[in-house]
């Protein structure tokens, strides 16, 4: 054994390296705050997409997406890594589905509203499920 790992007396130095992707409690709390912020913005966009006159800006969705993409590496190896992945995938799918159904608004108003309502309900389900798990300090499923 070398001098750094012997541990035979109280004066010996034990050289223990933290896990390569350990997340400190302070960083964990900061990431959780980012998660609350992101889930809140997602909620505003999803609800605003179906309420007349309350159309939320696409900028809110992009802001949440950019924050999640920029901060996801900070969560790598921790339980919140799955939340960043969950939110990023949710935004990509919801954004794609909103874009795909947008022409229905121009061609046929009622089917367009129904399509957007379905996308928004699915998006809200993902938001609520993620937010509940974030509050309970549980990771999201793969």
């Amino acid at each position: 054994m070398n001098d750094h790992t012997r541990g035979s007396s109280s004066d010996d130095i034990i050289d223990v390296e933290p896990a390569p992707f350990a997340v400190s409690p302070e960083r964990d709390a900061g990431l959780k705050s980012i998660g609350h912020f992101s889930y809140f913005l997602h909620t505003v966009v999803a609800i605003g997409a179906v309420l007349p006159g309350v159309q939320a800006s696409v900028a809110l969705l992009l802001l949440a997406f950019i924050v999640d993409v920029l901060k996801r590496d900070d969560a790598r190896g921790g339980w919140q890594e799955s939340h960043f992945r969950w939110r990023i995938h949710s935004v990509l799918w919801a954004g794609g589905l909103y874009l795909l159904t947008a022409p229905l608004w121009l061609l046929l108003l009622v089917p367009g509203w129904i399509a957007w309502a379905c996308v928004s309900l699915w998006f809200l389900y993902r938001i609520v499920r993620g937010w509940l798990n974030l509050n309970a300090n549980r990771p999201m499923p793969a």
Side-chain angles (χ1 to χ4, degrees), residues 18-112:
F21 298 108
V23 179
S24 70
E26 295 82 19
R27 180 169 282 176
D28 196 48
L31 292 171
K32 194 169 182 180
S33 293
I34 290 169
H36 287 298
F37 174 72
S38 184
Y39 281 126
F40 171 75
L41 291 180
H42 293 170
T43 303
V44 170
V45 171
I47 292 172
V50 293
L51 294 178
V54 188
Q55 300 303 315
S57 171
V58 174
L60 294 179
L61 198 60
L62 291 174
L63 175 63
F65 178 76
I66 290 168
V67 168
D68 283 336
V69 167
L70 292 176
K71 299 303 280 182
R72 74 176 162 185
D73 284 342
D74 292 349
R76 193 160 322 276
W79 66 271
Q80 292 189 60
E81 179 180 9
S82 63
H83 282 274
F84 281 87
R85 184 175 51 253
W86 180 265
R87 290 191 303 266
I88 289 168
H89 288 169
S90 296
V91 169
L92 289 174
W93 276 101
L97 291 170
Y98 283 134
L99 286 174
L100 185 67
T101 58
L104 291 175
W105 280 101
L106 300 173
L107 302 174
L108 305 164
L109 184 61
V110 173

